[in-house]
Coordinates of all heavy atoms in Angstrom, one line a residue:
K259 N -108.3 -20.7 163.0 CA -109.5 -20.6 162.3 C -109.5 -19.6 161.1 O -109.9 -19.8 160.0 CB -110.6 -20.2 163.3 CG -112.0 -20.4 162.8 CD -113.0 -20.5 164.0 CE -114.4 -20.4 163.5 NZ -114.9 -19.0 163.5
A260 N -108.9 -18.4 161.4 CA -108.7 -17.4 160.4 C -107.8 -17.9 159.3 O -108.1 -17.6 158.1 CB -108.1 -16.1 161.1
M261 N -106.8 -18.6 159.6 CA -105.9 -19.1 158.5 C -106.6 -20.2 157.7 O -106.4 -20.3 156.5 CB -104.6 -19.7 159.2 CG -103.7 -18.7 159.8 SD -102.5 -19.4 160.9 CE -101.5 -20.4 159.8
D262 N -107.5 -20.9 158.4 CA -108.3 -21.9 157.7 C -109.3 -21.2 156.7 O -109.5 -21.7 155.5 CB -109.1 -22.7 158.8 CG -109.9 -23.8 158.2 OD1 -111.0 -23.6 157.6 OD2 -109.4 -25.0 158.3
T263 N -109.8 -20.1 157.1 CA -110.7 -19.3 156.1 C -109.9 -18.9 154.9 O -110.4 -19.0 153.8 CB -111.3 -18.1 156.9 OG1 -112.0 -18.6 158.0 CG2 -112.2 -17.3 156.0
I264 N -108.7 -18.4 155.1 CA -107.9 -17.9 154.0 C -107.6 -19.1 153.1 O -107.8 -19.1 151.9 CB -106.6 -17.3 154.5 CG1 -106.8 -16.1 155.4 CG2 -105.6 -17.0 153.3 CD1 -106.8 -14.8 154.7
Q265 N -107.1 -20.2 153.7 CA -106.7 -21.4 152.9 C -107.9 -22.0 152.2 O -107.7 -22.4 151.0 CB -106.1 -22.4 153.9 CG -105.6 -23.7 153.2 CD -104.4 -24.3 154.0 OE1 -103.4 -23.8 154.1 NE2 -104.7 -25.5 154.5
G266 N -109.0 -21.9 152.8 CA -110.3 -22.5 152.2 C -110.6 -21.8 150.9 O -111.2 -22.3 150.0
Q267 N -110.3 -20.5 150.8 CA -110.6 -19.7 149.6 C -109.5 -19.7 148.6 O -109.7 -19.3 147.4 CB -111.0 -18.3 150.0 CG -112.3 -18.1 150.8 CD -113.5 -18.6 150.0 OE1 -113.4 -19.2 148.9 NE2 -114.7 -18.3 150.6
F268 N -108.3 -20.1 149.0 CA -107.1 -20.0 148.1 C -106.8 -21.4 147.5 O -106.8 -21.5 146.3 CB -105.9 -19.6 148.8 CG -105.6 -18.1 148.7 CD1 -106.5 -17.2 149.3 CD2 -104.5 -17.6 148.1 CE1 -106.3 -15.8 149.2 CE2 -104.2 -16.3 148.1 CZ -105.1 -15.4 148.6
T269 N -106.6 -22.4 148.3 CA -106.1 -23.7 147.8 C -106.8 -24.9 148.3 O -106.6 -26.0 147.8 CB -104.6 -23.9 148.2 OG1 -104.5 -23.8 149.7 CG2 -103.7 -22.9 147.6
S270 N -107.7 -24.7 149.4 CA -108.3 -25.8 150.1 C -107.1 -26.6 150.8 O -106.0 -26.1 150.9 CB -109.1 -26.7 149.2 OG -110.1 -26.0 148.6
G271 N -107.5 -27.8 151.3 CA -106.4 -28.6 152.0 C -105.3 -29.0 151.1 O -105.5 -29.1 149.8
P272 N -104.1 -29.3 151.6 CA -103.0 -29.7 150.7 C -103.3 -31.1 150.1 O -104.2 -31.8 150.5 CB -101.8 -29.7 151.7 CG -102.3 -29.4 153.0 CD -103.8 -29.2 153.0
C273 N -102.4 -31.5 149.2 CA -102.5 -32.7 148.5 C -102.7 -33.9 149.5 O -102.0 -34.1 150.4 CB -101.1 -33.0 147.8 SG -100.9 -34.6 147.2
S274 N -103.8 -34.7 149.2 CA -104.1 -35.8 150.1 C -103.0 -36.8 150.3 O -102.7 -37.3 151.4 CB -105.4 -36.4 149.6 OG -105.2 -36.9 148.3
I275 N -102.4 -37.1 149.2 CA -101.3 -38.2 149.2 C -100.1 -37.7 150.0 O -99.6 -38.5 150.8 CB -101.0 -38.5 147.7 CG1 -102.2 -39.0 147.0 CG2 -99.8 -39.5 147.6 CD1 -102.1 -38.8 145.5
A276 N -99.8 -36.5 149.8 CA -98.6 -35.9 150.5 C -98.9 -35.9 152.0 O -98.1 -36.0 152.9 CB -98.3 -34.5 150.0
Q277 N -100.2 -35.6 152.3 CA -100.6 -35.6 153.8 C -100.4 -37.0 154.4 O -99.8 -37.1 155.5 CB -102.0 -35.2 154.0 CG -102.2 -33.7 153.7 CD -103.6 -33.3 154.1 OE1 -104.0 -33.3 155.3 NE2 -104.4 -32.8 153.1
W278 N -100.7 -38.1 153.7 CA -100.5 -39.4 154.2 C -99.0 -39.7 154.3 O -98.6 -40.4 155.2 CB -101.3 -40.5 153.4 CG -102.7 -40.4 153.7 CD1 -103.7 -39.9 152.9 CD2 -103.4 -40.9 154.9 NE1 -104.9 -40.0 153.6 CE2 -104.8 -40.6 154.8 CE3 -102.9 -41.6 156.0 CZ2 -105.7 -40.9 155.7 CZ3 -103.8 -41.9 157.0 CH2 -105.2 -41.6 156.9
A279 N -98.3 -39.2 153.4 CA -96.8 -39.4 153.5 C -96.3 -38.7 154.7 O -95.4 -39.2 155.4 CB -96.1 -38.8 152.2
A280 N -96.8 -37.5 155.0 CA -96.4 -36.7 156.2 C -96.7 -37.5 157.5 O -96.0 -37.4 158.5 CB -96.9 -35.3 156.2
V281 N -97.9 -38.2 157.5 CA -98.2 -39.0 158.7 C -97.1 -40.0 158.9 O -96.6 -40.2 160.0 CB -99.6 -39.7 158.5 CG1 -99.9 -40.7 159.6 CG2 -100.7 -38.7 158.4
A282 N -96.7 -40.7 157.8 CA -95.6 -41.7 158.0 C -94.3 -41.0 158.4 O -93.6 -41.6 159.2 CB -95.4 -42.4 156.6
A283 N -94.0 -39.8 157.9 CA -92.8 -39.1 158.4 C -92.8 -38.9 159.9 O -91.9 -39.2 160.6 CB -92.6 -37.8 157.6
L284 N -94.0 -38.3 160.4 CA -94.0 -37.9 161.8 C -94.2 -39.1 162.7 O -93.7 -39.1 163.9 CB -95.1 -36.9 162.0 CG -94.8 -35.5 161.2 CD1 -96.0 -34.6 161.4 CD2 -93.6 -34.8 161.8
D285 N -95.0 -40.0 162.3 CA -95.4 -41.2 163.2 C -94.4 -42.3 163.0 O -94.3 -43.2 163.9 CB -96.8 -41.7 162.9 CG -97.9 -40.9 163.5 OD1 -97.5 -40.0 164.4 OD2 -99.0 -41.1 163.2
G286 N -93.6 -42.4 162.0 CA -92.7 -43.5 161.7 C -91.4 -43.4 162.4 O -91.2 -42.5 163.3
P287 N -90.5 -44.3 162.0 CA -89.1 -44.3 162.7 C -88.4 -42.9 162.5 O -88.5 -42.3 161.4 CB -88.4 -45.4 162.0 CG -89.2 -45.8 160.8 CD -90.6 -45.3 161.0
Q288 N -87.8 -42.5 163.5 CA -87.2 -41.1 163.5 C -85.6 -41.2 163.4 O -85.0 -40.2 163.4 CB -87.5 -40.3 164.7 CG -89.0 -40.1 164.9 CD -89.7 -39.2 163.8 OE1 -89.2 -38.1 163.6 NE2 -90.7 -39.7 163.1
D289 N -85.1 -42.4 163.3 CA -83.6 -42.5 163.3 C -82.9 -41.9 162.1 O -81.8 -41.5 162.2 CB -83.2 -44.0 163.4 CG -84.1 -45.0 162.8 OD1 -85.3 -44.7 162.8 OD2 -83.6 -46.0 162.3
G290 N -83.6 -41.7 161.0 CA -83.0 -41.1 159.8 C -82.7 -39.6 160.1 O -81.8 -39.1 159.5
L291 N -83.4 -39.0 161.1 CA -83.1 -37.6 161.4 C -81.6 -37.4 161.8 O -80.9 -36.5 161.4 CB -84.0 -37.1 162.5 CG -85.5 -37.0 162.2 CD1 -86.2 -36.6 163.5 CD2 -85.7 -35.9 161.2
A292 N -81.2 -38.3 162.7 CA -79.8 -38.2 163.2 C -78.8 -38.5 162.1 O -77.7 -37.9 162.1 CB -79.6 -39.2 164.4
V293 N -79.1 -39.4 161.2 CA -78.2 -39.8 160.2 C -78.0 -38.6 159.3 O -76.8 -38.2 159.0 CB -78.8 -41.0 159.3 CG1 -77.9 -41.3 158.1 CG2 -78.9 -42.2 160.2
R294 N -79.1 -37.9 158.9 CA -78.9 -36.7 158.0 C -78.3 -35.6 158.8 O -77.4 -34.9 158.2 CB -80.3 -36.3 157.5 CG -80.9 -37.3 156.4 CD -82.2 -36.8 155.8 NE -83.3 -36.8 156.7 CZ -84.1 -37.9 157.0 NH1 -83.8 -39.0 156.4 NH2 -85.1 -37.8 157.8
R295 N -78.6 -35.5 160.0 CA -78.0 -34.4 160.8 C -76.5 -34.5 160.9 O -75.7 -33.6 160.7 CB -78.6 -34.4 162.3 CG -78.0 -33.3 163.1 CD -78.8 -33.0 164.4 NE -79.0 -34.2 165.1 CZ -80.1 -34.8 165.5 NH1 -81.2 -34.1 165.1 NH2 -80.2 -35.9 166.1
Q296 N -76.0 -35.8 161.1 CA -74.6 -36.0 161.2 C -73.9 -35.7 159.9 O -72.8 -35.2 159.8 CB -74.3 -37.5 161.7 CG -74.4 -37.6 163.2 CD -74.8 -39.0 163.6 OE1 -74.6 -40.0 162.8 NE2 -75.3 -39.2 164.8
A297 N -74.5 -36.1 158.8 CA -74.0 -35.9 157.5 C -73.8 -34.4 157.2 O -72.8 -33.9 156.8 CB -74.8 -36.5 156.4
F298 N -74.9 -33.6 157.6 CA -74.8 -32.1 157.4 C -73.8 -31.5 158.3 O -73.1 -30.6 157.9 CB -76.2 -31.5 157.7 CG -77.2 -31.6 156.5 CD1 -78.5 -32.2 156.7 CD2 -76.8 -31.2 155.3 CE1 -79.4 -32.2 155.7 CE2 -77.7 -31.3 154.2 CZ -79.0 -31.8 154.4
E299 N -73.6 -32.0 159.5 CA -72.7 -31.4 160.4 C -71.3 -31.6 159.9 O -70.4 -30.6 159.9 CB -72.8 -32.0 161.8 CG -71.9 -31.4 162.9 CD -72.3 -31.7 164.3 OE1 -73.2 -32.6 164.5 OE2 -71.6 -31.2 165.2
A300 N -71.0 -32.8 159.3 CA -69.6 -33.0 158.8 C -69.4 -32.1 157.6 O -68.3 -31.5 157.4 CB -69.5 -34.5 158.4
R301 N -70.4 -31.9 156.8 CA -70.3 -31.0 155.6 C -70.1 -29.5 156.1 O -69.3 -28.8 155.5 CB -71.5 -31.0 154.7 CG -71.7 -32.4 154.1 CD -73.1 -32.4 153.5 NE -73.4 -33.7 152.8 CZ -74.5 -33.9 152.2 NH1 -75.4 -32.9 152.0 NH2 -74.8 -35.1 151.7
R302 N -70.8 -29.1 157.1 CA -70.6 -27.8 157.6 C -69.2 -27.6 158.0 O -68.5 -26.6 157.6 CB -71.5 -27.6 158.9 CG -71.3 -26.2 159.6 CD -71.8 -26.2 161.0 NE -71.1 -27.1 161.9 CZ -71.2 -27.1 163.2 NH1 -72.0 -26.3 163.8 NH2 -70.5 -28.0 163.9
D303 N -68.6 -28.5 158.8 CA -67.2 -28.4 159.2 C -66.3 -28.3 158.1 O -65.3 -27.5 158.1 CB -66.9 -29.5 160.2 CG -67.7 -29.4 161.5 OD1 -68.3 -28.4 161.7 OD2 -67.8 -30.5 162.2
L304 N -66.5 -29.1 157.1 CA -65.6 -29.1 155.9 C -65.7 -27.8 155.2 O -64.6 -27.1 154.9 CB -66.1 -30.2 154.9 CG -65.5 -30.2 153.5 CD1 -64.2 -30.9 153.5 CD2 -66.4 -30.8 152.5
V305 N -66.9 -27.2 155.0 CA -67.1 -26.0 154.2 C -66.5 -24.8 155.0 O -65.8 -24.0 154.4 CB -68.6 -25.8 153.9 CG1 -68.8 -24.4 153.3 CG2 -69.0 -26.8 152.9
V306 N -66.8 -24.7 156.3 CA -66.3 -23.6 157.1 C -64.8 -23.6 157.1 O -64.1 -22.6 156.9 CB -66.9 -23.6 158.5 CG1 -66.2 -22.6 159.4 CG2 -68.4 -23.4 158.5
G307 N -64.2 -24.8 157.3 CA -62.7 -24.9 157.3 C -62.1 -24.5 156.0 O -61.1 -23.7 156.0
M308 N -62.7 -24.9 154.9 CA -62.1 -24.6 153.6 C -62.3 -23.1 153.3 O -61.4 -22.4 152.8 CB -62.7 -25.5 152.5 CG -62.1 -26.9 152.6 SD -62.7 -27.9 151.2 CE -61.5 -27.4 149.9
L309 N -63.5 -22.6 153.6 CA -63.7 -21.1 153.2 C -62.8 -20.2 154.0 O -62.4 -19.2 153.5 CB -65.2 -20.8 153.5 CG -66.2 -21.4 152.5 CD1 -67.6 -21.0 152.9 CD2 -65.9 -21.0 151.1
N310 N -62.6 -20.6 155.3 CA -61.7 -19.7 156.1 C -60.3 -19.6 155.6 O -59.5 -18.8 156.1 CB -61.9 -20.0 157.6 CG -63.1 -19.3 158.2 OD1 -63.5 -18.3 157.7 ND2 -63.7 -20.0 159.1
Q311 N -59.9 -20.6 154.7 CA -58.6 -20.5 154.1 C -58.5 -19.6 152.9 O -57.4 -19.3 152.4 CB -58.1 -21.9 153.8 CG -57.7 -22.6 155.1 CD -57.4 -24.1 154.9 OE1 -57.2 -24.5 153.8 NE2 -57.4 -24.8 156.0
A312 N -59.6 -19.2 152.4 CA -59.6 -18.4 151.2 C -59.3 -16.9 151.6 O -59.8 -16.4 152.6 CB -61.0 -18.5 150.5
K313 N -58.6 -16.3 150.7 CA -58.2 -14.9 150.9 C -59.5 -14.0 151.1 O -60.3 -14.1 150.2 CB -57.3 -14.4 149.8 CG -57.0 -12.9 149.8 CD -56.0 -12.6 148.7 CE -56.7 -11.7 147.7 NZ -55.8 -11.3 146.6
G314 N -59.5 -13.2 152.1 CA -60.6 -12.2 152.3 C -61.9 -12.7 152.8 O -62.8 -11.9 153.0
L315 N -62.1 -14.0 152.9 CA -63.4 -14.5 153.4 C -63.3 -14.8 154.9 O -62.3 -15.2 155.5 CB -63.8 -15.8 152.7 CG -64.0 -15.8 151.2 CD1 -64.6 -17.1 150.7 CD2 -64.9 -14.6 150.8
N316 N -64.5 -14.6 155.6 CA -64.5 -14.8 157.0 C -65.9 -15.5 157.3 O -66.9 -15.0 157.1 CB -64.4 -13.5 157.7 CG -64.3 -13.7 159.2 OD1 -64.3 -14.8 159.7 ND2 -64.1 -12.6 160.0
C317 N -65.8 -16.8 157.8 CA -67.0 -17.5 157.9 C -67.2 -18.0 159.4 O -66.3 -18.8 159.8 CB -66.9 -18.7 157.0 SG -68.4 -19.7 156.9
R318 N -68.2 -17.6 160.0 CA -68.4 -18.1 161.4 C -69.0 -19.6 161.3 O -69.6 -19.9 160.3 CB -69.3 -17.2 162.2 CG -70.8 -17.2 162.0 CD -71.6 -16.3 162.9 NE -71.8 -16.9 164.2 CZ -72.8 -17.7 164.5 NH1 -73.6 -18.1 163.6 NH2 -72.9 -18.2 165.7
V319 N -68.9 -20.3 162.4 CA -69.4 -21.7 162.4 C -70.9 -21.6 162.8 O -71.2 -21.2 163.9 CB -68.7 -22.5 163.4 CG1 -69.2 -24.0 163.4 CG2 -67.2 -22.5 163.1
P320 N -71.8 -21.9 161.9 CA -73.2 -21.7 162.3 C -73.7 -22.9 163.1 O -73.1 -24.0 163.0 CB -73.9 -21.7 160.9 CG -73.0 -22.2 159.9 CD -71.6 -22.3 160.5

Side-chain angles (χ1 to χ4, degrees):
K259 192 159 169 269
M261 291 163 64
D262 187 281
T263 303
I264 302 267
Q265 183 155 292
Q267 294 295 11
F268 266 63
T269 55
S270 301
C273 166
S274 59
I275 299 154
Q277 289 190 61
W278 284 102
V281 172
L284 294 175
D285 280 349
Q288 301 294 307
D289 32 328
L291 292 175
V293 175
R294 289 186 290 277
R295 180 166 53 240
Q296 280 156 16
F298 279 128
E299 185 165 2
R301 294 170 183 184
R302 174 198 67 169
D303 294 343
L304 169 84
V305 169
V306 172
M308 287 185 80
L309 290 177
N310 277 330
Q311 282 172 18
K313 175 174 111 181
L315 298 188
N316 190 357
C317 185
R318 77 178 280 276
V319 183

